[in-house]
Structures are given as C-alpha cells and as structure tokens.
Amino acid sequence: MLSSTQPRVQPLKPGFNHGWTFVWKAFLTTIGTSLLQPMRTLLESATPNYEVNVTPVPAAVSKPQLLLSVLPSFFVLLYPLVGAAGGAFSLPQAAFLWAWPWVGMSLIFTCMTQVSHVQAATQPDAPGGGASATCWTSRQIAASLDYSVPAGPTGRASPLEMSVVTALSAGLNVQSLHHAMPSVGCAHFPRLYAEYAAICDRHGVRLRQSDNAATAVGEMLRYVFDNNAPEAARADRTAG
C-alpha cells in the first residue's frame, strides 16, 4: 500500500511487511508496463488482487494494434537469450543485455518517479497536507516532493547541483513546481525555483523537500515499510 489513506487490497500478513512487495516490483516495473499490462488487455484478464483490469488501453486501440506495439518488447526480452544460445554473446554479456532494459530501467523509473509522491510528507492526512489545502494549486504542491533544490524550508543545493540533477531527471526533482505550473518547461526550473519558493512561503504553502535523490529514496522506502508494517509491529513502533 502506497498511501495511508487508500483502502487495503490485501490484509496484512503477520510477520510479513508488504513493503518488500513494493521493492521487488520496483525491479520489474518495465516488464509490467511493456508486457504484462498490455497482455492483460489482449487476454482479457484481471489485474491481480482486483476483479477487473485496472490498466486498460484506450478504447480506440485495437487488439492487433496493441499486439504490434508489444512485439518490440518481446524482441528485447528474447534477443539476449537467443544470442547466448547461438553463441553470439557470452553468458555475462547476455545477462547484462537482458537485465539492463528491464531491471536497470525499472529501478531508474521507480527512483525517478515514485519518490516525488510516495512519501509520508505528501499524504493528504500529513500535517499541512492536501486535505487542508485551500486551492487546487496548493493541493498539488502539498502532494509533491522536491529534492536537490537551493531554496525553501530545507533547500540547500548549489545552483550547479540543481541544474545537473534537473537535467538528469528531466525536471522530476522539482515535482511541485511542475504540478503548480505544468506548462513551464523544466529547463526553466533552476532559474525559477528561488522565486517560486518565496511565493509559496508568502502564501503559507509549505514545500516538501529532501536533500537529494538518495535521501528522497530512503524516505520513500521508510514510509512504504512503515505504512505496510504488520499491525503488531506498527503498534510497538508507535508505543516506543
């Protein structure tokens, strides 16, 4: 479960933290979006733990079109295996060529996207969270986390760090500004952020921030594991 305000789709298992489910799925996100989700539509099957397919494709996309769009992913999946069987690659080469598009890119996707919203501070019921926001824009800001930024409550990054991280993450490190002004390109974020933070402060809107990508990922994992801890363990942690 990624939010403390959403209903659980599975009961908590004594002694097992479903945060580990989030972790292993983080290694396979690309397979899910490239293959598993389209195949559910093609086979008309339900999403696990749901009675329906919760990731359908647009109605205008026919099954033949969807199948054609999936074929390149099957090629990427099978090419290293076929190459290794035919002697074109060594086993270490084949392992890398198979793992990088799926495991490597999945970890990049998870770390670059989920850290912006799967956080204790960005939940609607967090102090000053979206549930108490007074307008659409402030709710968007309250639901987003920024990192490697030079201004705001905890922002202490250098201008160079923000420029480099913004370029590498395509602006995902400044998620609140993107949500507040979605039509502004991320190339402008380093120049705008200090003024944006001052405007938020002037209007009493608190920015959610982390020092850098590593601390943001750590905070995300801590929240996921705390939020999915068995009830007894969570009660013990609260009491302690």
PDB file of all heavy atoms in Angstrom, residues 78-91 93-94:
ATOM      1  N   LEU A  78      13.754 -11.400 -25.660  1.00  0.00           N
ATOM      2  CA  LEU A  78      14.256 -12.684 -26.161  1.00  0.00           C
ATOM      3  C   LEU A  78      15.612 -12.598 -26.840  1.00  0.00           C
ATOM      4  O   LEU A  78      16.344 -13.591 -26.899  1.00  0.00           O
ATOM      5  CB  LEU A  78      13.227 -13.285 -27.134  1.00  0.00           C
ATOM      6  CG  LEU A  78      11.853 -13.605 -26.549  1.00  0.00           C
ATOM      7  CD1 LEU A  78      10.908 -14.074 -27.642  1.00  0.00           C
ATOM      8  CD2 LEU A  78      11.963 -14.659 -25.451  1.00  0.00           C
ATOM      9  N   TYR A  79      15.967 -11.427 -27.374  1.00  0.00           N
ATOM     10  CA  TYR A  79      17.205 -11.302 -28.160  1.00  0.00           C
ATOM     11  C   TYR A  79      18.447 -11.758 -27.406  1.00  0.00           C
ATOM     12  O   TYR A  79      19.252 -12.532 -27.943  1.00  0.00           O
ATOM     13  CB  TYR A  79      17.348  -9.858 -28.637  1.00  0.00           C
ATOM     14  CG  TYR A  79      18.636  -9.560 -29.340  1.00  0.00           C
ATOM     15  CD1 TYR A  79      18.920 -10.114 -30.587  1.00  0.00           C
ATOM     16  CD2 TYR A  79      19.593  -8.711 -28.755  1.00  0.00           C
ATOM     17  CE1 TYR A  79      20.119  -9.842 -31.240  1.00  0.00           C
ATOM     18  CE2 TYR A  79      20.784  -8.433 -29.397  1.00  0.00           C
ATOM     19  CZ  TYR A  79      21.041  -8.991 -30.637  1.00  0.00           C
ATOM     20  OH  TYR A  79      22.221  -8.712 -31.276  1.00  0.00           O
ATOM     21  N   PRO A  80      18.681 -11.315 -26.156  1.00  0.00           N
ATOM     22  CA  PRO A  80      19.885 -11.787 -25.459  1.00  0.00           C
ATOM     23  C   PRO A  80      19.893 -13.294 -25.240  1.00  0.00           C
ATOM     24  O   PRO A  80      20.956 -13.926 -25.302  1.00  0.00           O
ATOM     25  CB  PRO A  80      19.827 -11.039 -24.125  1.00  0.00           C
ATOM     26  CG  PRO A  80      18.953  -9.868 -24.374  1.00  0.00           C
ATOM     27  CD  PRO A  80      17.923 -10.342 -25.351  1.00  0.00           C
ATOM     28  N   LEU A  81      18.717 -13.880 -24.985  1.00  0.00           N
ATOM     29  CA  LEU A  81      18.651 -15.324 -24.753  1.00  0.00           C
ATOM     30  C   LEU A  81      18.962 -16.101 -26.027  1.00  0.00           C
ATOM     31  O   LEU A  81      19.722 -17.082 -26.010  1.00  0.00           O
ATOM     32  CB  LEU A  81      17.268 -15.698 -24.221  1.00  0.00           C
ATOM     33  CG  LEU A  81      16.796 -14.944 -22.973  1.00  0.00           C
ATOM     34  CD1 LEU A  81      15.395 -15.386 -22.573  1.00  0.00           C
ATOM     35  CD2 LEU A  81      17.770 -15.147 -21.827  1.00  0.00           C
ATOM     36  N   VAL A  82      18.386 -15.650 -27.132  1.00  0.00           N
ATOM     37  CA  VAL A  82      18.655 -16.302 -28.417  1.00  0.00           C
ATOM     38  C   VAL A  82      20.115 -16.115 -28.812  1.00  0.00           C
ATOM     39  O   VAL A  82      20.779 -17.037 -29.299  1.00  0.00           O
ATOM     40  CB  VAL A  82      17.716 -15.742 -29.514  1.00  0.00           C
ATOM     41  CG1 VAL A  82      18.093 -16.305 -30.885  1.00  0.00           C
ATOM     42  CG2 VAL A  82      16.264 -16.065 -29.180  1.00  0.00           C
ATOM     43  N   GLY A  83      20.652 -14.901 -28.573  1.00  0.00           N
ATOM     44  CA  GLY A  83      22.048 -14.638 -28.897  1.00  0.00           C
ATOM     45  C   GLY A  83      22.999 -15.501 -28.098  1.00  0.00           C
ATOM     46  O   GLY A  83      23.996 -16.003 -28.629  1.00  0.00           O
ATOM     47  N   ALA A  84      22.692 -15.692 -26.809  1.00  0.00           N
ATOM     48  CA  ALA A  84      23.542 -16.540 -25.979  1.00  0.00           C
ATOM     49  C   ALA A  84      23.462 -17.992 -26.428  1.00  0.00           C
ATOM     50  O   ALA A  84      24.473 -18.700 -26.482  1.00  0.00           O
ATOM     51  CB  ALA A  84      23.128 -16.418 -24.519  1.00  0.00           C
ATOM     52  N   ALA A  85      22.255 -18.445 -26.789  1.00  0.00           N
ATOM     53  CA  ALA A  85      22.096 -19.830 -27.255  1.00  0.00           C
ATOM     54  C   ALA A  85      22.838 -20.064 -28.553  1.00  0.00           C
ATOM     55  O   ALA A  85      23.357 -21.160 -28.801  1.00  0.00           O
ATOM     56  CB  ALA A  85      20.613 -20.144 -27.435  1.00  0.00           C
ATOM     57  N   GLY A  86      22.908 -19.045 -29.400  1.00  0.00           N
ATOM     58  CA  GLY A  86      23.595 -19.184 -30.683  1.00  0.00           C
ATOM     59  C   GLY A  86      25.070 -18.865 -30.623  1.00  0.00           C
ATOM     60  O   GLY A  86      25.755 -18.913 -31.652  1.00  0.00           O
ATOM     61  N   GLY A  87      25.578 -18.506 -29.454  1.00  0.00           N
ATOM     62  CA  GLY A  87      26.998 -18.225 -29.305  1.00  0.00           C
ATOM     63  C   GLY A  87      27.395 -16.812 -29.646  1.00  0.00           C
ATOM     64  O   GLY A  87      28.598 -16.482 -29.642  1.00  0.00           O
ATOM     65  N   ALA A  88      26.435 -15.932 -29.915  1.00  0.00           N
ATOM     66  CA  ALA A  88      26.765 -14.545 -30.255  1.00  0.00           C
ATOM     67  C   ALA A  88      27.212 -13.760 -29.027  1.00  0.00           C
ATOM     68  O   ALA A  88      27.974 -12.791 -29.150  1.00  0.00           O
ATOM     69  CB  ALA A  88      25.568 -13.859 -30.903  1.00  0.00           C
ATOM     70  N   PHE A  89      26.728 -14.152 -27.855  1.00  0.00           N
ATOM     71  CA  PHE A  89      27.093 -13.473 -26.612  1.00  0.00           C
ATOM     72  C   PHE A  89      27.581 -14.487 -25.599  1.00  0.00           C
ATOM     73  O   PHE A  89      27.134 -15.648 -25.595  1.00  0.00           O
ATOM     74  CB  PHE A  89      25.885 -12.735 -26.000  1.00  0.00           C
ATOM     75  CG  PHE A  89      25.183 -11.802 -26.926  1.00  0.00           C
ATOM     76  CD1 PHE A  89      23.821 -11.939 -27.154  1.00  0.00           C
ATOM     77  CD2 PHE A  89      25.863 -10.788 -27.578  1.00  0.00           C
ATOM     78  CE1 PHE A  89      23.147 -11.084 -27.999  1.00  0.00           C
ATOM     79  CE2 PHE A  89      25.197  -9.927 -28.434  1.00  0.00           C
ATOM     80  CZ  PHE A  89      23.848 -10.072 -28.649  1.00  0.00           C
ATOM     81  N   SER A  90      28.488 -14.048 -24.743  1.00  0.00           N
ATOM     82  CA  SER A  90      28.835 -14.861 -23.587  1.00  0.00           C
ATOM     83  C   SER A  90      27.696 -14.771 -22.585  1.00  0.00           C
ATOM     84  O   SER A  90      26.829 -13.901 -22.687  1.00  0.00           O
ATOM     85  CB  SER A  90      30.136 -14.356 -22.956  1.00  0.00           C
ATOM     86  OG  SER A  90      29.940 -13.055 -22.412  1.00  0.00           O
ATOM     87  N   LEU A  91      27.706 -15.644 -21.609  1.00  0.00           N
ATOM     88  CA  LEU A  91      26.636 -15.612 -20.608  1.00  0.00           C
ATOM     89  C   LEU A  91      26.609 -14.290 -19.831  1.00  0.00           C
ATOM     90  O   LEU A  91      25.533 -13.735 -19.610  1.00  0.00           O
ATOM     91  CB  LEU A  91      26.776 -16.799 -19.656  1.00  0.00           C
ATOM     92  CG  LEU A  91      26.413 -18.173 -20.249  1.00  0.00           C
ATOM     93  CD1 LEU A  91      26.626 -19.275 -19.215  1.00  0.00           C
ATOM     94  CD2 LEU A  91      24.972 -18.171 -20.729  1.00  0.00           C
ATOM     95  N   GLN A  93      27.557 -11.350 -20.925  1.00  0.00           N
ATOM     96  CA  GLN A  93      27.022 -10.347 -21.854  1.00  0.00           C
ATOM     97  C   GLN A  93      25.515 -10.490 -22.006  1.00  0.00           C
ATOM     98  O   GLN A  93      24.778  -9.499 -21.987  1.00  0.00           O
ATOM     99  CB  GLN A  93      27.702 -10.485 -23.216  1.00  0.00           C
ATOM    100  CG  GLN A  93      29.153 -10.034 -23.256  1.00  0.00           C
ATOM    101  CD  GLN A  93      29.810 -10.344 -24.591  1.00  0.00           C
ATOM    102  OE1 GLN A  93      29.516 -11.356 -25.233  1.00  0.00           O
ATOM    103  NE2 GLN A  93      30.717  -9.472 -25.006  1.00  0.00           N
ATOM    104  N   ALA A  94      25.064 -11.720 -22.152  1.00  0.00           N
ATOM    105  CA  ALA A  94      23.628 -11.952 -22.308  1.00  0.00           C
ATOM    106  C   ALA A  94      22.875 -11.542 -21.048  1.00  0.00           C
ATOM    107  O   ALA A  94      21.785 -10.961 -21.128  1.00  0.00           O
ATOM    108  CB  ALA A  94      23.367 -13.425 -22.625  1.00  0.00           C
TER     109      ALA A  94
END
